[in-house]
Amino acid sequence: MDLRTAQALIRFGLGRRGDEPLPTDPAVWLRQQLSAPDPSHFDPRPNSTTAAEAFLADRANKPKP
């Protein structure tokens, strides 16, 4: 892996996903990453009540240590 590829993978976000091949052109890969939608955003975003209910339901399903 050349230095430009390594810098693009490490510096911008967490790098490539494990199943993605190494980019042949790091600059193009980076532009594609910046123009794509962020996969961590939820549509529609949950409101506080929904988030709290999900949190409590998750806690209720976990065994106590």
Side-chain angles (χ1 to χ4, degrees):
M1 178 181 333
D2 69 350
L3 185 59
R4 276 184 67 188
T5 303
Q7 287 174 331
L9 291 173
I10 294 167
R11 189 166 175 211
F12 299 100
L14 299 175
R16 69 182 177 92
R17 290 177 183 86
D19 59 347
E20 287 180 330
L22 290 174
T24 55
D25 186 346
V28 171
W29 178 84
L30 178 58
R31 281 194 297 277
Q32 289 172 344
Q33 294 296 310
L34 295 174
S35 65
D38 187 347
S40 67
H41 288 170
F42 298 100
D43 282 329
R45 291 185 181 169
N47 60 30
S48 298
T49 303
T50 305
E53 288 171 350
F55 173 75
L56 293 173
D58 185 57
R59 283 191 70 183
N61 291 327
K62 293 195 184 219
K64 297 192 181 199

